[in-house]
Amino acid sequence: MSSSAIFVLDLKGKVLICRNYKGDVDMAEIDHFFPLLMQHEEDGLLCPVLSRGNVHFMWIKHSNLYLVSTTNKNSNASLVYSFLYKLVEVFTEYFKELEEESIQDNFVVVYELLDELMDFGFPQTTDSKILQEYITQEGAKLEVGKSKVPTTVTNAVSWRSEGIKYKKNEVFIDVIESINVLVNANGSVMSSDIVGSIKLKTMLSGMPELRLGLNDRVLFALTGRDKGKTVVMEDVKFHQCVRLSRFDIDRTISFIPPDGESELMSYRINTHVKPLIWIESVIEKFSHSRVEIMVKAKGQFKKQSVANNVEVRVPVPSDADSPKFKTSTGNAKYVPEKNMVVWTIKSFPGGKEFLMRAHFGLPSVENNELEGKPPITVKFEIPYFTVSGIQVRYMKIIEKSGYQALPWVRYITQSGDYQLRSNV
Amino acid sequence: TTDNQNHPPIFELKAELNSDKKEKKKEAVKKVIASMTVGKDVSALFPDVVNCMQTDNLELKKLVYLYLMNYAKSQPDMAIMAVNTFVKDCEDPNPLIRALAVRTMGCIRVDKITEYLCEPLRKCLKDEDPYVRKTAAVCVAKLHDINAQLVEDQGFLDTLKDLISDSNPMVVANAVAALSEIAESHPNSNLLDLNPQTINKLLTALNECTEWGQIFILDCLANYTPRDDRESQSICERVTPRLSHANSAVVLSAVKVLMKFMEMLPKDLDYYGTLLKKLAPPLVTLLSAEPELQYVALRNINLIVQRRPEILKHEMKVFFVKYNDPIYVKLEKLDIMIRLASQANIAQVLAELKEYATEVDVDFVRKAVRAIGRCAIKVEQSAERCVSTLLDLIQTKVNYVVQEAIVVIKDIFRKYPNKYESVIATLCENLDSLDEPEARAAMIWIVGEYAERIDNADELLESFLEGFHDESTQVQLQLLTAIVKLFLKKPTETQELVQQVLSLATQDSDNPDLRDRGYIYWRLLSTDPVAAKEVVLAEKPLISEETDLIEPTLLEELICHIGTLASVYHKPPSAFVEGSRGVQHKRIPGNLGSGESVESPDNGSAAGVTEAPPAVIPSQGDLLGDLLNLDLTPPTTTGPPPISSGMQMGAMDLLGGGLDSLVGLRHNTERSFRSPSPPDYSPTEVGPGGHMGAGFGAPPAVMPASFNAPVSVGLDDLFDLGGGVGMPMGAFNPPKTVWLPAMKAKGLEISGTFVRRAGVIQMEMNLTNKAMSVMTDFAIQFNRNSFGLASAGPLQILTPLSPNQSIEAALPLSTVGPVMKMEPLNNLQVAVKNNIDVFYFSCQYPISMLFVEDGKMERQVFLATWKDIPNDNESQFQIKDCHLNSDAASNKLQSSNIFTIAKRTVEGQDMLYQSMKLTNGIWVLAELRVQAGNPNYTTILKSKQRITSLIIIHTVSERPFCTNWNLICYIL
């Protein structure tokens, strides 16, 4: 159905560890993967699926590793990629960093995990918090009789174990909105949207039932309430703890949360947003002599708010040299390995406008290679504020022991994929 | 050394494994596994490791099990030693151990021990712990894979079915997965006899199981056919909440169920509209997933947009390309942008495309330029703007941009005749910079087509003529046609030119297509110039808006495979999965609504084929009678009636002189002339029946007089090869021919052929070094080609090739490479590199290589399809001097995957009804007539896909296929 075998390869294509799940594809086929990949890369035809004869390789790359799944069937490709990314997530939670060294140092646990995560090509339990209850790095401690399958594994609630205890019961809610913007070279906004994410840090005892209330327009319409500002969420995605059918019926977000940190939900809002930091740029290239850059950044948000750690990244030709900068605030730096100027402004109040000028020399003999036209990108963070106006109206926490628990909410808006095309 | 510490020698490990100390034993097993991991062979330690199996240390047990899974197959006799421990472990008080044992058991793929495992498995399937049951459920699928009969005999399949009603959702999910897997390999087993009760159970479990379990269940649901639209709607309602799942794979599997079941809902139902609206947001959100998942999503959106364009028609912006998108995402987005382009959004789309056309990535830029042309053709109001954008791009003088632009402008001319010809002058300025065959051919077509408006058209065309033989076939054919057009338009000053090109094409060329076309023109011009003018300068049909739509039945099948590799490749699973012969093609059932009219015609025909009620299609016996009644008329009347007497006379004249195959050829000729070209194809490919091609070897000086003699000699030769000498049974493999002569490749000679073995196409080559120095570093690459042939691996020539040495190399090919229409259709352009240089050559593969093993069409489908195909899609040929009887011929053809569906004998004439399927999913149907005692067979070929699929147009109505049909006939 999905994977015949899973391989972890190093950057040279050597197999570090593998697991044969089905035995219907010769394990030696993996030797063809790397040459095939190189060939495709050379031809500029890189693709996440490669095939040779009847064998298909689906692969992803993570740090200095390739994770490859082989099959000779009509596999569910989206399941395979989802699973490969899940592998990365689980291994990372086990070993902090997932890289060649951590695989080699922990091969016993990696084998155990591969055995537990997938059976005959079917993904099984992949929740690392639950896995850590019965597969640990100190295997010696697990003597027979003591180690048991947590009932959680097969429960309908497969993400939270019973018997969790906290002295102080609290939930921390982070509402994070990322702004994606694509602006054309002539300054018109081609597309913009908001991707929001609600993250939880749950420190609650027992099996609490939670209900989250948002100022969701559809919910307000359903319940006939029409007070205050509401938000239209174009699409919502939930952690598997949320009862999807319940949400489908009456827009109630009800769930038993996983313990500790998790992403409860994400949403997408399509409304046209004014780019919070607006960039105007003039980049003039005088062939064989110099490049002159003028960038104006303007904070298009409320005066009371402040954007932190603002970075404006302006591309420059790869053969530029001898940089000179002038800024009205902040600090500009040339990063030659990335062919860009990074202008950093630690604190950028709303409504303000700042300027940066840069001057580069160009060699008299020009670089023949055609260069792409990378866009200007911007990074920032604005605390205590969401662009969409989304609000957590309440978080109800009910546990049968009847304890009182406090929810804490924090809002933050940040840049997502924030690109302004330049004309040079 | 450290290596020795980590991976000590075998004898040391052996000693440690047999140590009395537990801890030492465990460390030793760890070292064994470490050695195994780095690829050392530690199978010699099998008995010693198995001795460590009986332990109460869980970690040690897991390691030993791991070792067993790896080496049991190579030591089957010793694997029996492990059986006792498995049996014992399956009764361990700890469910973790029971599950571990049952999980590992199934991975020991040794037939001998499987029967010992049945009892423990039976217990585990009824285990009190769901963790053990869910593991045992999967074990049934494993065991079935090793010994299907055993599993059936033991009744495990029934137990597995019972588990669908298990109280635990994870057990249900794994049981569903296991059953689906088994059903996949046994399509007729009726294992998943889904009924409303089981469906209800699955839908309940769907709410409770893990994300992966949800995918298993959704994929299983997608195979169900609801009884009516009410049931369909109720399932959709319960599946829709899954669209909010964080896991993209869950979302795509839900989309698959909804897309399929939606087809059964009446389109005027409110719920239908609601559902359509609900699908767009999750599809858009998939584009924020990881790039590989984005890619899968985009390939699927491409299908969805073709099937239900209304879903995403307002979402153009999300497909705009970002600078940091990986190339494979960029190219897919571009494709979807064109599909969504409409009058409403065209301005924005064009602005974007223009932006992309100035990027640096060559493939992306080319596609962007092509996209601008497609916008012009699709959205009439934008044509002018598109043309001016293309002209701007031509001014950039970037070579590949100019060439792409010229290719698309040619299509724009065809769509909007007499509108944009003012730009021709600008195009002509760039003539010298065109070095790609497609661009050269396009430019030559333009010059020929508009010769009367280009003062120096003769000079321009003459300049191409100098290097005629170095041009690709595509360019040669265009040049020939263009000069003939020029001659017909300006006869006085171009007589010499036309003589020259006709002689080049007929006398000096090895290419049968080119020679044939040359002769046709020659005859036409010399016999009846007026008719020639009518034919060659005939008004061309306009080209259609969408050129690369997926053929509707294939699209339907792919919709049923959303999320899978098939949807990524845009190919049916049977095209790339071995042994899928006989596996049923998934189809969307027709509208089941009570009395609703079927809306779109494709919907209707699909319903007709799959769901047709008995009232419409009678029993099989009658069917065949029906089928045969269709064509009992003699071959002379199967063609379309002559359209104009003048035309017919021309054709008759041309073919006069007692050609045996006169009738068949005449039909073809008429048809080609009457509709000079398919809608989206350049208008000049006028060609008659191809089987004559190989025979035209006669020098032009004597051509008219002895026209028929060389023909029959040629054809005799052709068929002697197969019939006379008697090829061994088995698939047809043509002999090796020289593809690259040593003269042209600095001493490297390559000869080769193509074979199909066990479903894999291979290119078999002989490489000979005829130079003085050693050759190394060989590599091979194909240009895009009509059927997406691509090397499935590197060229394996590991040793250097010394002077005078020869080496054989076999290169497995896949058919999932990039597709581009070639001319002739089966042309393959190859680049071979070695340490000396890069060499290019083209070769042609027999179409029969592309016939897949599951090309046997069901009788009923065959009938329906045969009836459906209009006469225009028919070609008729004769195969001469074949002395096999019809059964022998049928057998022989079957070994090349040409399957006989039915046979009928009428008045001593055997009629074989045959089907074959190409790797791209296109079906070709054939009728082969064999008259006892007459060595000449008649064949009629038909194919359904004419309008929508670019390739089949060639396959059916163009010469190359005919030529290839002859190749197939070698088999006889």
Side-chain angles (χ1 to χ4, degrees):
Chain A
M1 185 178 259
S2 59
S3 291
S4 176
I6 299 275
F7 299 84
V8 181
L9 312 185
D10 69 8
L11 276 185
K12 294 187 186 111
K14 196 184 91 190
V15 178
L16 294 174
I17 204 161
C18 60
R19 172 66 202 256
N20 188 354
Y21 288 107
K22 297 195 65 181
D24 55 354
V25 175
D26 187 352
M27 294 297 275
E29 287 286 344
I30 194 68
D31 297 342
H32 301 296
F33 169 73
F34 199 66
L36 205 57
L37 182 70
M38 290 295 103
Q39 189 194 330
H40 277 253
E41 201 158 12
E42 252 172 54
D43 301 348
L45 297 167
L46 203 60
C47 182
V49 196
L50 302 174
S51 71
R52 180 183 181 276
N54 289 319
V55 181
H56 309 275
F57 302 97
M58 286 178 255
W59 62 280
I60 64 170
K61 196 178 171 195
H62 180 86
S63 73
N64 54 1
L65 299 173
Y66 292 100
L67 284 85
V68 188
S69 157
T70 55
T71 184
N72 58 5
K73 299 266 159 37
N74 181 29
S75 293
N76 186 326
S78 52
L79 178 146
V80 171
Y81 292 116
S82 263
F83 181 74
L84 291 178
Y85 277 103
K86 197 56 146 184
L87 272 187
V88 171
E89 195 183 311
V90 171
F91 287 156
T92 309
E93 282 179 40
Y94 263 82
F95 315 129
K96 292 218 171 65
E97 297 280 330
L98 171 58
E99 54 191 9
E100 193 177 333
E101 295 70 28
S102 55
I103 292 282
Q104 280 165 338
D105 295 349
N106 297 287
F107 73 94
V108 174
V109 181
V110 173
Y111 275 129
E112 280 189 52
L113 285 172
L114 287 174
D115 196 39
E116 195 65 41
L117 289 165
M118 181 174 261
D119 194 6
F120 204 53
F122 309 126
Q124 302 290 311
T125 310
T126 54
D127 191 309
S128 64
K129 283 196 200 83
I130 306 303
L131 286 166
Q132 273 165 344
E133 290 181 28
Y134 65 112
I135 295 175
T136 66
Q137 270 145 306
E138 300 89 38
K141 282 186 191 164
L142 271 177
E143 286 301 316
V144 171
K146 283 183 202 161
S147 65
K148 284 219 178 92
V149 198
T151 49
T152 326
V153 172
T154 50
N155 264 352
V157 181
S158 62
W159 53 89
R160 183 183 181 93
S161 287
E162 281 173 40
I164 296 171
K165 279 205 178 73
Y166 285 96
K167 270 189 190 158
K168 196 173 173 191
N169 289 297
E170 291 175 307
V171 190
F172 297 90
I173 307 165
D174 277 340
V175 181
I176 303 161
E177 291 197 337
S178 302
I179 314 295
N180 300 324
V181 179
L182 179 61
V183 181
N184 214 350
N186 62 20
S188 55
V189 179
M190 301 301 291
S191 66
S192 70
D193 63 3
I194 303 166
V195 175
S197 161
I198 298 185
K199 292 185 174 165
L200 298 184
K201 187 175 179 190
T202 315
M203 300 164 80
L204 297 171
S205 312
M207 279 294 190
E209 270 290 338
L210 272 60
R211 244 168 66 204
L212 174 70
L214 300 172
N215 53 341
D216 168 13
R217 183 167 305 167
V218 184
L219 174 69
F220 277 39
L222 275 176
T223 52
R225 199 196 305 258
D226 57 349
K227 277 183 271 174
K229 193 185 175 213
T230 55
V231 171
V232 182
M233 294 183 284
E234 174 82 8
D235 189 31
V236 196
K237 292 280 176 282
F238 291 107
H239 185 277
Q240 65 167 324
C241 68
V242 177
R243 295 179 185 99
L244 297 182
S245 349
R246 176 92 195 264
F247 179 78
D248 197 54
I249 294 164
D250 61 9
R251 300 288 279 197
T252 304
I253 303 169
S254 76
F255 56 100
I256 298 172
D259 188 42
E261 290 178 26
S262 60
E263 183 178 54
L264 178 71
M265 62 181 280
S266 63
Y267 54 88
R268 194 162 50 76
I269 294 174
N270 236 350
T271 47
H272 191 86
V273 272
K274 201 168 170 190
L276 294 179
I277 293 190
W278 184 249
I279 301 288
E280 279 170 34
S281 67
V282 181
I283 304 177
E284 279 180 295
K285 192 173 164 185
F286 302 90
S287 283
H288 315 294
S289 101
R290 65 190 195 278
V291 178
E292 283 177 5
I293 298 169
M294 198 277 291
V295 174
K296 189 165 83 181
K298 192 177 171 193
Q300 306 194 114
F301 46 92
K302 280 186 226 144
K303 286 206 173 83
Q304 308 89 291
S305 291
V306 174
N308 294 329
N309 304 318
V310 178
E311 273 186 21
V312 182
R313 298 153 173 231
V314 186
V316 292
S318 62
D319 49 358
D321 55 41
S322 39
K324 279 180 228 149
F325 304 108
K326 222 165 118 184
T327 58
S328 62
T329 189
N331 185 21
K333 210 175 109 191
Y334 176 42
V335 189
E337 65 273 17
K338 289 183 176 159
N339 299 320
M340 59 165 73
V341 177
V342 180
W343 177 22
T344 316
I345 303 160
K346 281 268 165 260
S347 168
F348 195 137
K352 284 276 190 306
E353 212 177 274
F354 299 115
L355 253 159
M356 188 268 288
R357 282 176 193 280
H359 178 285
F360 284 88
L362 283 178
S364 50
V365 181
E366 254 193 275
N367 191 347
N368 276 331
E369 269 176 51
L370 264 177
E371 283 184 32
K373 297 194 296 178
I376 296 174
T377 55
V378 186
K379 283 180 76 175
F380 59 85
E381 251 179 42
I382 308 173
Y384 317 116
F385 159 79
T386 55
V387 217
S388 69
I390 201 160
Q391 272 178 347
V392 173
R393 292 174 44 244
Y394 60 81
M395 171 73 99
K396 288 187 181 150
I397 303 162
I398 301 162
E399 216 278 335
K400 58 175 185 262
S401 66
Y403 58 71
Q404 288 296 309
L406 281 177
W408 304 90
V409 190
R410 193 163 62 164
Y411 298 97
I412 193 164
T413 291
Q414 62 185 26
S415 57
D417 200 351
Y418 203 102
Q419 301 189 358
L420 302 99
R421 289 182 183 150
S422 59
N423 46 10
V424 172
Chain B
T1 67
T2 46
D3 189 58
N4 242 345
Q5 277 168 14
N6 292 333
H7 312 295
I10 298 284
F11 68 88
E12 251 175 55
L13 284 170
K14 200 176 178 78
E16 287 176 38
L17 284 170
N18 291 303
S19 159
D20 298 332
K21 289 181 187 138
K22 269 189 182 173
E23 205 44 38
K24 196 151 193 184
K25 248 185 181 168
K26 196 171 101 182
E27 283 313 306
V29 176
K30 253 192 202 175
K31 284 179 197 165
V32 172
I33 300 292
S35 295
M36 181 185 95
T37 304
V38 299
K40 293 203 167 140
D41 182 10
V42 285
S43 61
L45 295 166
F46 200 90
D48 310 279
V49 176
V50 172
N51 272 335
C52 305
M53 199 171 164
Q54 296 225 19
T55 171
D56 51 2
N57 183 303
L58 186 58
E59 194 192 7
L60 178 56
K61 195 177 271 293
K62 282 184 177 174
L63 291 172
V64 175
Y65 275 5
L66 183 66
Y67 179 92
L68 265 176
M69 282 189 274
N70 260 306
Y71 290 112
K73 205 150 191 200
S74 59
Q75 310 267 349
D77 294 324
M78 281 197 268
I80 297 221
M81 292 165 58
V83 167
N84 269 337
T85 316
F86 280 132
V87 175
K88 210 174 135 225
D89 283 355
C90 281
E91 302 196 353
D92 195 278
N94 186 343
L96 209 52
I97 305 240
R98 297 202 295 277
L100 184 65
V102 80
R103 183 161 65 221
T104 311
M105 254 165 45
C107 299
I108 312 266
R109 301 176 62 86
V110 177
D111 207 18
K112 269 187 200 168
I113 70 167
T114 43
E115 55 186 292
Y116 297 103
L117 305 179
C118 292
E119 280 324 299
L121 174 59
R122 193 185 316 283
K123 274 185 197 143
C124 288
L125 282 166
K126 302 249 154 94
D127 200 284
E128 55 173 22
D129 193 301
Y131 182 73
V132 180
R133 290 202 302 280
K134 71 118 184 163
T135 312
V138 176
C139 187
V140 175
K142 293 178 185 170
L143 214 56
H144 190 271
D145 202 31
I146 305 167
N147 190 339
Q149 195 58 47
L150 182 73
V151 169
E152 278 164 43
D153 295 346
Q154 295 280 333
F156 286 146
L157 294 180
D158 293 325
T159 319
L160 203 50
K161 282 189 204 166
D162 293 343
L163 288 182
I164 289 189
S165 313
D166 199 279
S167 58
N168 185 290
M170 186 103 169
V171 178
V172 177
N174 272 5
V176 166
L179 280 170
S180 307
E181 177 88 17
I182 296 171
E184 190 104 325
S185 53
H186 293 74
N188 302 320
S189 58
N190 201 25
L191 262 182
L192 279 166
D193 52 341
L194 298 171
N195 54 51
Q197 287 74 40
T198 44
I199 290 295
N200 197 36
K201 280 175 197 155
L202 294 184
L203 286 167
T204 310
L206 188 61
N207 287 323
E208 294 176 337
C209 61
T210 66
E211 49 201 313
W212 314 111
Q214 296 184 20
I215 299 170
F216 307 154
I217 292 178
L218 289 168
D219 284 356
C220 176
L221 279 177
N223 290 322
Y224 177 64
T225 306
R227 290 161 310 172
D228 51 33
D229 50 332
R230 213 158 296 140
E231 190 187 9
S232 192
Q233 176 175 346
S234 111
I235 295 174
C236 286
E237 280 167 352
R238 292 176 71 180
V239 165
T240 327
R242 298 300 119 194
L243 295 175
S244 298
H245 200 289
N247 187 327
S248 306
V250 176
V251 175
L252 260 185
S253 284
V255 168
K256 165 164 55 194
V257 175
L258 297 173
M259 279 297 290
K260 188 182 165 190
F261 287 18
M262 202 161 83
E263 302 282 342
M264 287 161 246
L265 298 176
K267 309 286 173 281
D268 50 359
L269 194 71
D270 285 349
Y271 181 70
Y272 178 80
T274 316
L275 196 53
L276 276 185
K277 276 195 206 106
K278 280 193 172 173
L279 276 168
L283 287 172
V284 171
T285 306
L286 288 175
L287 301 185
S288 1
E290 287 82 4
E292 293 82 3
L293 283 161
Q294 272 187 56
Y295 175 71
V296 176
L298 285 164
R299 293 293 285 171
N300 279 286
I301 287 172
N302 201 324
L303 299 172
I304 292 167
V305 166
Q306 290 184 56
R307 185 76 198 164
R308 298 264 159 251
E310 59 273 36
I311 294 178
L312 288 166
K313 67 178 174 198
H314 298 303
E315 303 290 350
M316 173 61 89
K317 282 181 177 183
V318 301
F319 298 102
F320 286 171
V321 171
K322 299 233 171 102
Y323 182 75
N324 44 342
D325 283 335
I327 181 69
Y328 51 82
V329 167
K330 285 185 177 171
L331 294 175
E332 291 308 317
K333 282 187 172 173
L334 203 49
D335 232 28
I336 294 168
M337 280 174 68
I338 303 164
R339 294 207 190 282
L340 292 178
S342 67
Q343 202 186 335
N345 56 27
I346 194 72
Q348 251 185 339
V349 173
L350 264 184
E352 280 294 293
L353 292 176
K354 198 174 176 183
E355 182 82 32
Y356 306 159
T358 57
E359 275 290 345
V360 285
D361 195 310
V362 178
D363 284 320
F364 180 57
V365 171
R366 280 176 180 274
K367 202 161 179 173
V369 176
R370 227 163 247 242
I372 296 172
R374 278 173 62 186
C375 284
I377 290 165
K378 198 174 167 190
V379 185
E380 185 163 2
Q381 295 82 353
S382 76
E384 195 160 341
R385 218 168 340 166
C386 293
V387 171
S388 85
T389 306
L390 288 169
L391 283 180
D392 287 351
L393 289 171
I394 287 175
Q395 299 307 337
T396 64
K397 301 283 175 196
V398 178
N399 190 274
Y400 53 85
V401 172
V402 174
Q403 310 211 41
E404 286 297 333
I406 287 182
V407 171
V408 293
I409 286 178
K410 179 205 73 181
D411 290 339
I412 296 176
F413 284 168
R414 294 238 21 223
K415 171 78 182 185
Y416 309 108
N418 304 316
K419 214 162 172 191
Y420 300 110
E421 283 76 11
S422 56
V423 308
I424 289 174
T426 317
L427 304 185
C428 289
E429 286 165 21
N430 291 283
L431 210 74
D432 296 335
S433 65
L434 309 179
D435 54 12
E436 292 165 16
E438 204 181 353
R440 288 173 82 84
M443 193 63 223
I444 292 168
W445 181 84
I446 292 171
V447 174
E449 187 66 16
Y450 299 101
E452 68 275 24
R453 313 184 191 197
I454 307 171
D455 293 339
N456 59 343
D458 51 343
E459 282 169 38
L460 293 177
L461 292 175
E462 195 171 3
S463 70
F464 282 98
L465 214 51
E466 282 161 24
F468 188 79
H469 290 298
D470 298 328
E471 298 285 0
S472 72
T473 312
Q474 184 182 13
V475 178
Q476 291 174 334
L477 288 168
Q478 286 295 0
L479 197 51
L480 171 61
T481 304
I483 291 178
V484 172
K485 282 183 192 164
L486 173 69
F487 171 72
L488 290 168
K489 290 175 179 178
K490 304 177 177 175
T492 45
E493 58 248 66
T494 57
Q495 198 149 12
E496 201 173 317
L497 196 58
V498 80
Q499 285 288 347
Q500 211 179 335
V501 77
L502 286 174
S503 114
L504 279 170
T506 54
Q507 230 170 331
D508 303 341
S509 172
D510 293 334
N511 186 316
D513 291 332
L514 185 63
R515 282 206 310 264
D516 275 11
R517 194 186 289 186
Y519 280 125
I520 293 288
Y521 284 139
W522 200 321
R523 289 282 289 181
L524 259 176
L525 294 174
S526 58
T527 324
D528 187 350
V530 180
K533 208 162 182 170
E534 269 179 61
V535 170
V536 178
L537 302 180
E539 200 167 307
K540 282 152 287 291
L542 296 184
I543 58 175
S544 65
E545 288 172 10
E546 304 269 357
T547 51
D548 54 352
L549 289 175
I550 294 175
E551 190 273 316
T553 49
L554 177 60
L555 182 60
E556 270 181 31
E557 188 179 353
L558 293 179
I559 289 286
C560 299
H561 288 291
I562 281 178
T564 69
L565 276 179
S567 73
V568 174
Y569 289 143
H570 290 183
K571 290 185 176 192
S574 54
F576 61 90
V577 178
E578 208 171 64
S580 56
R581 182 198 300 205
V583 173
Q584 276 174 355
H585 290 268
K586 294 191 179 174
R587 282 291 184 79
I588 294 173
N591 188 323
L592 296 175
S594 38
E596 253 73 38
S597 63
V598 179
E599 286 213 332
S600 61
D602 52 20
N603 217 359
S605 67
V609 173
T610 53
E611 290 283 315
V616 180
I617 293 189
S619 70
Q620 268 200 4
D622 295 342
L623 276 182
L624 199 60
D626 234 0
L627 167 67
L628 294 165
N629 280 333
L630 275 180
D631 272 301
L632 283 179
T633 42
T636 35
T637 57
T638 47
I643 25 111
S644 86
S645 60
M647 187 71 82
Q648 195 194 12
M649 281 312 289
M652 290 300 278
D653 246 352
L654 167 69
L655 300 162
L659 264 182
D660 294 343
S661 53
L662 177 127
V663 175
L665 185 60
R666 197 198 71 208
H667 282 303
N668 276 303
T669 316
E670 275 174 7
R671 198 162 308 125
S672 318
F673 283 170
R674 193 169 60 143
S675 55
S677 76
D680 51 357
Y681 191 65
S682 62
T684 51
E685 270 72 5
V686 178
H691 66 293
M692 296 187 57
F696 278 111
V702 290
M703 184 189 71
S706 60
F707 197 43
N708 59 346
V711 172
S712 54
V713 169
L715 286 175
D716 284 348
D717 278 354
L718 191 62
F719 291 105
D720 267 357
L721 199 79
V725 180
M727 292 277 278
M729 284 302 265
F732 165 64
N733 299 325
K736 283 194 179 122
T737 52
V738 176
W739 286 337
L740 182 67
M743 278 170 57
K744 283 195 176 170
K746 302 187 179 166
L748 174 67
E749 183 184 279
I750 300 180
S751 59
T753 184
F754 294 86
V755 299
R756 186 179 180 95
R757 285 204 182 104
V760 180
I761 305 172
Q762 283 207 359
M763 188 165 169
E764 293 191 345
M765 282 171 289
N766 250 341
L767 288 86
T768 310
N769 182 352
K770 295 192 170 173
M772 303 299 283
S773 56
V774 174
M775 294 177 180
T776 57
D777 306 329
F778 287 94
I780 193 163
Q781 202 183 321
F782 299 166
N783 199 353
R784 299 172 197 201
N785 52 74
S786 318
F787 291 92
L789 284 178
S791 57
L795 183 60
Q796 297 279 11
I797 297 176
L798 303 170
T799 50
L801 196 56
S802 323
N804 280 325
Q805 197 194 341
S806 236
I807 194 166
E808 288 193 358
L811 184 71
L813 307 183
S814 74
T815 52
V816 294
V819 173
M820 184 173 84
K821 181 192 73 192
M822 294 301 289
E823 199 173 326
L825 191 72
N826 60 331
N827 198 28
L828 184 65
Q829 296 178 340
V830 184
V832 169
K833 187 192 85 119
N834 62 11
N835 56 326
I836 298 164
D837 205 345
V838 184
F839 311 106
Y840 303 91
F841 64 88
S842 340
C843 51
Q844 295 177 10
Y845 45 90
I847 286 280
S848 61
M849 293 298 117
L850 302 171
F851 293 159
V852 298
E853 282 65 22
D854 68 335
K856 186 160 187 170
M857 200 178 250
E858 269 180 54
R859 278 178 157 214
Q860 300 209 355
V861 181
F862 185 90
L863 166 70
T865 316
W866 184 270
K867 273 184 169 172
D868 262 9
I869 298 173
N871 281 347
D872 274 7
N873 284 12
E874 203 181 289
S875 312
Q876 188 176 333
F877 311 96
Q878 283 212 340
I879 302 166
K880 301 183 83 188
D881 278 346
C882 189
H883 297 281
L884 297 169
N885 65 27
S886 63
D887 288 343
S890 165
N891 282 338
K892 212 153 197 178
L893 288 168
Q894 171 137 3
S895 56
S896 286
N897 296 334
I898 299 168
F899 299 95
T900 302
I901 311 294
K903 179 183 156 183
R904 170 143 176 177
T905 309
V906 177
E907 293 168 10
Q909 182 168 247
D910 286 341
M911 301 187 173
L912 300 178
Y913 292 88
Q914 298 174 313
S915 74
M916 58 220 92
K917 190 172 134 193
L918 294 161
T919 47
N920 56 4
I922 285 169
W923 289 91
V924 181
L925 312 186
E927 180 190 305
L928 184 68
R929 296 175 181 182
V930 180
Q931 182 88 44
N934 181 351
N936 300 342
Y937 295 0
T938 304
T939 291
I940 297 168
L941 286 186
K942 282 185 163 196
S943 187
K944 190 177 179 185
Q945 302 86 350
R946 185 180 165 93
I947 317 296
T948 47
S949 164
L950 202 69
I951 283 172
I952 198 62
I953 288 162
H954 286 253
T955 314
V956 175
S957 66
E958 296 300 324
R959 305 189 39 86
F961 186 80
C962 309
T963 314
N964 274 292
W965 181 242
N966 276 338
L967 285 175
I968 297 164
C969 297
Y970 275 133
I971 307 162
L972 294 170

